[in-house]
């Protein structure tokens, strides 16, 4: 009995060390990238450049927070990039309609509409996956085509641009503004991540998400409403997409059928690099944010240095997700 207890204790200790390694690894990688960036360009560690990198990562970081919930529950959402284009297009079209004469009220109504549409798109993905019993990969692949097709139809193959310069000037600080020197998008990243971390780590629903992702059958036998839990993860994903849209529209003031292309790959990569298991059952919000920063820093280093062509950014991101999955597989085998 003593030997068995000792063996179990050692195994638990090894597992604890592995879990710590997976949690810390993204932050170690981030530090190493910062060091590499400092050597690659003297301008890399400037405050302006780092703030620019963090600001540019806002869209993927916020969307990836929602993806963390979906993936932690054993799901997958490939439609987020197309959803961004669709929600942003409807938001701009509403603002162009001029149905509300007061510019502040119009802006508030447009932002509320974007939130509602994002939640509705997430709900559709969730119901198709749970009630329709279609694999998440197939379900969201289908809705990806639907959202992208609707955007193309709405724009007639062109672009949808915010026409009111007054409204654009009023909305401009939502992306380009700062509070106490900190750009607004960075504040939104931190607020979204903090709220997501609280829900995932400190609430009953968060525990249910992890339980469903760990073992769906056990969760169902334990009385957890599996379908409801999973549907809500997709709604959360839709809400995160809408928040990203609220920052995207004031930045460019225009959308097209190509808006958000491959953002789903970047969001999933950020989640996996951040230590969340793609098979579900493990979710790390702050690791996801770190993963989004890593992706943007890699691109920034490639732009500032001449070691690798900037046109290979997509290839590098694809290699990163493969490497991250191999590392996760290796650590799982050690357990």
């Amino acid at each position: 009995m003593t030997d068995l207890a000792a063996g179990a204790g050692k195994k638990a200790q090894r597992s604890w060390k592995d879990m710590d390694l997976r949690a810390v690894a993204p932050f170690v990688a981030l530090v190493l990238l910062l060091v590499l960036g400092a050597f690659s360009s003297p301008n890399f560690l400037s405050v302006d450049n780092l703030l620019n990198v963090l600001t540019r990562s806002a869209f993927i970081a916020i969307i990836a927070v929602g993806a963390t919930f979906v993936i932690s529950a054993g799901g997958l959402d490939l439609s987020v990039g197309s959803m961004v284009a669709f929600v942003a297009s409807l938001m701009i079209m509403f603002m162009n309609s001029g149905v509300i004469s007061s510019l502040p009220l119009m802006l508030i109504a447009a932002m509320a509409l974007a939130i509602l549409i994002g939640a509705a798109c997430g709900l559709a993905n969730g119901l198709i996956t749970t009630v329709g019993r279609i694999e998440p990969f197939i379900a969201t692949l289908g809705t990806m085509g639907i959202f992208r097709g609707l955007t193309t139809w709405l724009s007639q193959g062109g672009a949808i641009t915010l026409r009111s310069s007054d409204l654009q000037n009023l909305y401009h600080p939502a992306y380009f503004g700062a509070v106490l020197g900190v750009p607004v998008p960075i504040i939104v990243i931190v607020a979204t991540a903090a709220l997501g971390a609280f829900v995932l780590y400190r609430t009953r629903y968060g525990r249910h998400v992890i339980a469903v992702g760990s073992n769906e059958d056990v969760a169902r036998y334990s009385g957890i409403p599996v379908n409801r839990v999973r549907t809500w993860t997709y709604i959360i994903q839709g809400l995160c997409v809408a928040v990203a849209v609220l920052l995207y529209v004031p930045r460019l003031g225009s959308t097209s059928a190509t808006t958000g292309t491959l953002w789903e790959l970047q969001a999933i990569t950020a989640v996996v690099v951040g230590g969340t298991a793609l098979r579900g059952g493990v979710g790390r919000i702050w690791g996801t944010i770190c993963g989004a920063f890593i992706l943007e820093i890699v691109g920034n280093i490639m732009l500032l240095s001449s070691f690798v062509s900037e046109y290979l950014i997509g290839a590098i991101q694809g290699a990163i997700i493969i490497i991250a999955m191999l590392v996760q597989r290796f650590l799982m085998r050690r357990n």
Side-chain angles (χ1 to χ4, degrees):
M1 290 294 293
T2 303
D3 292 340
L4 289 175
K10 290 180 180 179
K11 184 176 180 181
Q13 186 176 10
R14 287 196 301 271
S15 297
W16 174 252
K17 289 180 179 178
D18 288 339
M19 291 296 288
D20 278 350
L21 179 61
R22 277 180 277 177
V24 173
F27 299 96
V28 174
L30 179 61
V31 172
L32 293 177
L33 274 177
L34 292 174
V35 174
L36 176 62
F39 281 106
S40 65
S41 172
N43 298 323
F44 176 77
L45 289 181
S46 66
V47 175
D48 289 341
N49 182 62
L50 291 179
L51 286 179
N52 179 58
V53 168
L54 295 179
T55 301
R56 287 175 60 87
S57 69
F59 307 131
I60 300 303
I62 293 169
I63 292 171
V65 169
T68 303
F69 279 87
V70 173
I71 293 174
S72 296
L76 189 68
D77 193 343
L78 299 177
S79 70
V80 292
S82 301
M83 195 188 302
V84 167
F86 179 61
V87 175
S89 296
L90 291 179
M91 181 182 181
I92 293 176
M93 291 178 69
F94 177 77
M95 289 191 287
N96 286 340
S97 68
V99 294
I100 301 177
S101 58
S102 172
L103 293 183
L105 289 179
M106 168 63 82
L107 183 57
I108 293 173
M111 295 172 72
L113 178 65
I115 294 293
L116 289 174
I117 295 173
C121 291
L123 176 62
N125 281 339
L127 292 178
I128 293 171
T129 302
T130 56
V131 178
R133 298 185 180 278
I134 299 176
E135 288 295 322
F137 178 87
I138 301 299
T140 57
L141 187 64
T143 55
M144 177 178 70
I146 292 172
F147 296 145
R148 187 70 67 187
L150 288 174
T151 303
T152 304
W153 173 66
L154 291 172
S155 64
Q156 294 296 296
I160 300 175
T161 304
L162 183 59
R163 294 194 294 264
S164 172
S165 58
D166 292 334
L167 193 56
Q168 194 164 5
N169 291 334
L170 179 64
Y171 202 5
H172 188 267
Y175 181 84
F176 295 98
V179 178
L180 300 177
V182 181
V184 172
I186 297 177
I187 296 174
V188 177
I189 291 174
V190 174
T192 303
L195 181 59
F198 175 79
V199 172
L200 189 61
Y201 303 144
R202 300 294 182 183
T203 66
R204 178 184 298 179
Y205 173 74
R207 292 191 293 272
H208 287 177
V209 168
I210 300 301
V212 169
S214 297
N215 193 311
E216 179 180 338
D217 293 332
V218 172
R220 184 174 286 108
Y221 294 146
S222 300
I224 296 175
V226 173
N227 286 349
R228 187 189 307 169
V229 169
R230 280 206 171 125
T231 299
W232 269 103
T233 63
Y234 286 98
I235 295 175
I236 292 172
Q237 175 71 92
L239 290 172
C240 288
V241 166
V243 172
V245 167
L246 297 183
L247 294 177
Y248 179 85
V249 171
R251 181 191 177 192
L252 295 179
S254 178
T255 61
S256 68
T258 61
T259 296
T261 301
L262 294 182
W263 281 17
E264 56 277 348
L265 172 63
Q266 296 180 53
I268 294 171
T269 302
V271 173
V272 174
V273 169
T276 296
L278 196 56
R279 59 183 170 79
V282 177
R284 294 189 171 93
I285 296 293
W286 295 109
T288 292
I289 300 299
C290 183
F293 290 164
I294 286 174
L295 292 180
E296 194 60 42
I297 288 174
V298 168
N300 185 251
I301 292 174
M302 293 174 67
L303 289 173
L304 292 177
S305 66
S306 58
F307 297 128
V308 183
S309 171
E310 62 184 89
Y311 298 110
L312 290 175
I313 290 179
I316 297 297
Q317 291 175 344
I320 288 174
I321 191 172
I322 292 174
I323 293 171
M325 287 301 301
L326 290 174
V327 171
Q328 283 195 10
R329 182 69 57 85
F330 172 74
L331 293 175
M332 288 171 58
R333 287 178 178 176
R334 289 186 64 185
N335 286 339

